[in-house]
């Protein structure tokens, strides 16, 4: 029994020692890799879908990668069976999309960025940065040669063995085989770079539609079938369309009658992979196209802010001025507002186009119902996206109707024109806690005023049903049941209770006090870097309405420091070398925190710019 315990103790000590040495080695290599203070990133990670992993040049284990992280020389990226990632290169607009089940290594050699596609497929858009003289060259290395992609948008796939399938969608690519022979591939060409050099498919099919280098955009509320057109198959062949979510799992979706060269198919919004397969009448495969990638994007009309659908707007003047408000989409080049005064859309009121504006005031509206819609035009399409047809009603308030009727009758000589005004700053009121209204008013030409009568009601209620509140001063404050839009009207009375003045109705919007927007660190992208002497100078943009800012520093998820500041910058000292997570938030005068901001990475290098002391003189007695 004693010997058994000895063997167990020796085994435990040995296992612990191996674990400790492995952990120490892993951490030391991680520290060396994470210190890139003197190295410029080759690219940054863009949009990430599903699990994406990276392996740094000096490490053996794979780690998850997130949006915004830099990529350095020698790093590898791989995707899962449903993973996709966009890699944006520095110094240009070039990028690549790595498809599911793919593995790539990024290197920099001799002034150019080299891609090693180990497995899978990718799409490269390098033509966008071809005009940038400062951008380095972009090439794909393989065992059988090199493909220069600096002036091309292309799709590349790992073929059988060490071959690479090259499909140029736009621009031109130069292929240099292992034997030194160079060949140029232009738009629409497809070839395989193998051990015998670049081999073209002489019977390659030419795709006429859809576009292979641009997404298919259509109205988000009106998904339409997509036409697929081609040339190059035998005239009597029956062609089928195969589609799928990745290149390896394509299934037949639709087919065209024998001899036809077009198929129409409806695909949902998103990214799709597809190919065409031609067969004879006996089912023999006569040929097939390469696998293509097409993205179907949803396009939206401008988001309407005001007026909302079927709203009834109380008018306090005749004629009434109506303000339309909307939000513009990211790639919208033009918006058009159309307004009609009848349901048949035969009596137009206005048609107005805009490029950057987000509001428009239409003047001179009479009481009645109006129909309107917003239309979007996008940068890469001449086909408009029509918004939903909506309607609103302009209804004169009771006081305005009475004033209009009185104006039509012969004026009484003893009645003097009176005018009430409310400050515009009180027409929209914010609250924290319980909603309420609080406003004052001014008046001119008023005499013998003893009190004021106030009516306040929800815009959906009638003024006749609203209770009357009498006050002695020209100010009023009262709680309201909920946020919303309320109508206020004011009358002035003398000591006998006779009305001596009446003001026009005013619409007051009561809304919760909005939360402050999150402050952001400067610069807005990339990791934050401490200086070589260990000082971390942090700066963030100021937020209007903020009383103070709270900075939180964490390491490996554990909070190390939480500090409040009145200004928008600080310097942190005494942080050990390593990677930290920093967050900044703002607080308003009510003690409420702002929206949650993005967590940023702070890198403190393990090197210093302090020079070691130098002996000036040595004297030996």
């Amino acid at each position: 029994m004693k010997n058994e315990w000895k063997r167990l103790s020796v085994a435990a000590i040995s296992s612990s020692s191996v674990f400790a040495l492995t952990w120490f080695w892993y951490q030391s290599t991680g520290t060396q890799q994470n210190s890139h203070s003197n190295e410029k990133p080759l690219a940054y990670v863009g949009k990430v879908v599903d699990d994406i992993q990276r392996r740094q040049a000096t490490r053996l284990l794979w780690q998850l990668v997130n949006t915004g992280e830099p990529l350095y020389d020698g790093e590898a990226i791989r995707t899962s069976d449903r993973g996709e990632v966009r890699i944006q290169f520095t110094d240009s607009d070039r990028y690549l999309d790595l498809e599911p089940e793919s593995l790539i290594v990024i290197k920099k050699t001799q002034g150019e960025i080299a891609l090693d596609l180990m497995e899978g497929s990718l799409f490269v858009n390098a033509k966008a940065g071809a005009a940038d003289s400062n951008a380095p060259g972009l090439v794909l290395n393989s065992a059988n040669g090199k493909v220069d992609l600096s002036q091309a948008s292309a799709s590349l796939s790992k073929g059988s063995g060490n071959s690479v399938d090259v499909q140029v969608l736009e621009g031109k690519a130069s292929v240099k085989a292992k034997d030194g022979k160079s060949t140029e591939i232009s738009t629409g060409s497809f070839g395989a770079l193998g051990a015998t050099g670049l081999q073209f498919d002489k019977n390659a099919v030419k795709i006429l539609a859809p576009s292979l280098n641009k997404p298919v955009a259509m109205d988000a509320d009106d998904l339409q079938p997509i036409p697929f057109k081609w040339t190059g198959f035998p005239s009597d062949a029956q062609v089928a369309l195969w589609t799928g979510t990745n290149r390896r799992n394509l299934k037949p979706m639709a087919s065209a009658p024998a001899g036809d060269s077009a198929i129409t198919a409806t695909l949902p919004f998103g990214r799709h992979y597809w190919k065409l397969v031609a067969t004879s009448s006996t089912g023999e495969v006569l040929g097939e196209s390469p696998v293509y990638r097409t993205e179907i994007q949803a396009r939206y009309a401008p988001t309407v802010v005001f007026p909302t659908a079927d709203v009834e707007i109380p008018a306090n003047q005749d004629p009434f001025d109506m303000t339309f408000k909307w939000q513009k989409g990211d790639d919208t080049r033009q918006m058009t507002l159309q307004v009609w005064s009848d349901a048949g859309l035969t009596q137009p009121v206005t048609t107005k186009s805009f490029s950057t504006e987000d509001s428009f005031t239409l003047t001179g509206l009479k009481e009645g119902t109006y129909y309107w819609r917003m239309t979007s035009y996008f940068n890469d399409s001449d086909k408009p996206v029509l918004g939903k047809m909506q309607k609103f009603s302009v209804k004169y308030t009771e006081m305005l109707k009475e004033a209009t009727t009185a104006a039509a009758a012969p004026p009484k000589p003893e009645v003097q024109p009176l005018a009430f005004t409310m400050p515009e700053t009180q027409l929209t009121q914010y609250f924290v806690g319980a909603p309420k209204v609080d406003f004052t008013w001014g008046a001119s030409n008023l005499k013998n005023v003893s009190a004021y009568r106030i009516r306040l009601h929800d815009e959906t209620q009638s003024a006749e049903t609203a209770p009357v509140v009498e006050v002695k001063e020209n100010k009023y404050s009262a709680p309201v049941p909920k946020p919303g839009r309320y109508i206020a009207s004011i009358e002035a009375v003398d000591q006998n209770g006779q009305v001596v003045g009446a003001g026009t109705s005013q619409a007051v919007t009561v809304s919760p006090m909005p939360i402050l927007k999150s402050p952001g660190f400067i610069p807005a992208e990339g990791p934050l870097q401490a200086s070589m002497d260990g000082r971390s100078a942090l700066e963030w943009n100021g937020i209007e309405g903020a009383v103070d800012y709270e900075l939180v520093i964490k390491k490996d998820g554990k909070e190390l420091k939480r500090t409040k500041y009145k200004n928008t910058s600080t310097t942190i000292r005494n942080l050990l070398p390593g990677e930290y997570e920093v967050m900044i938030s703002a607080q308003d005068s009510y003690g409420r925190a702002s929206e949650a901001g993005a967590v940023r990475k702070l890198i403190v290098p393990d090197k210093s710019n302090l020079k070691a002391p130098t002996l000036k003189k040595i004297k030996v007695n």
Side-chain angles (χ1 to χ4, degrees), residues 443-512:
S444 60
N445 301 331
L446 283 180
K447 297 180 181 180
N448 302 323
V449 176
S450 176
Y452 298 95
R453 293 173 180 171
I454 311 297
R455 288 179 185 266
L456 181 69
H457 61 90
D458 187 279
E459 65 176 352
T460 61
Q461 299 174 342
S462 173
E464 289 79 3
T465 62
V468 178
V469 179
E470 191 169 290
V471 296
K472 296 297 183 181
E473 299 178 300
N474 60 336
K475 61 182 180 179
Y476 178 71
S477 179
V480 292
K482 62 181 180 178
R485 188 178 171 91
Y486 294 85
I487 308 301
S489 58
I490 307 171
E491 292 179 338
V493 297
D494 61 12
Q495 60 183 359
N496 297 321
Q498 299 296 318
V499 177
V500 295
T504 57
S505 299
Q506 294 281 6
V508 180
T509 301
V510 180
S511 301

Side-chain angles (χ1 to χ4, degrees), residues 264-287:
T264 300
T266 301
L267 298 174
F269 292 110
R271 185 171 294 172
H272 302 273
Y273 296 89
W274 59 277
K275 68 177 180 179
L276 300 173
V277 179
T279 58
S280 65
S281 58
T282 61
E284 179 187 358
V285 177
L286 302 177

Side-chain angles (χ1 to χ4, degrees), residues 197-266:
L198 182 65
Q199 302 296 325
F200 287 98
D201 185 357
K202 297 181 180 179
N203 300 318
V205 178
K206 184 177 181 181
I207 303 299
L208 305 179
S211 175
L212 300 179
N213 59 340
K214 293 181 180 180
V216 177
M218 61 180 63
D219 191 339
D221 298 324
D222 187 19
L223 184 63
Q224 296 291 325
I226 300 174
F228 293 81
K229 300 179 181 180
W230 64 87
T231 61
F233 284 129
S235 59
D236 58 345
Q238 184 177 28
V239 180
L241 172 68
W242 292 51
T243 63
T245 56
N246 57 61
R247 294 178 180 269
R248 299 184 182 182
N249 297 317
L250 301 181
K251 297 180 180 180
M253 179 182 182
S255 61
D260 281 8
S261 58
I263 295 176
T264 300
T266 301

Side-chain angles (χ1 to χ4, degrees), residues 63-76:
Q63 297 173 306
L64 291 177
V65 67
N66 298 310
T67 300
E69 292 188 12
L71 298 176
Y72 296 93
D73 184 19
E75 293 201 72

Side-chain angles (χ1 to χ4, degrees), residues 10-57:
V10 171
I13 294 173
S14 300
S15 300
S16 301
S17 301
V18 172
F19 175 80
L21 290 173
T22 303
W23 182 86
F24 176 77
W25 169 82
Y26 184 78
Q27 293 295 325
S28 62
T29 58
T31 303
Q32 295 171 3
Q33 174 62 23
N34 291 334
S35 179
H36 293 286
S37 57
N38 296 323
E39 183 180 355
K40 183 178 180 180
L42 298 183
Y44 287 90
V45 177
K47 182 180 179 181
V48 172
V49 178
D50 207 77
D51 288 342
I52 309 300
Q53 294 180 325
R54 72 190 296 177
R55 188 176 67 190
Q56 300 170 351

Side-chain angles (χ1 to χ4, degrees), residues 87 213 328 361 437 601:
I87 298 175
N213 59 340
K328 176 187 174 185
T361 300
V437 293
K601 182 183 296 183

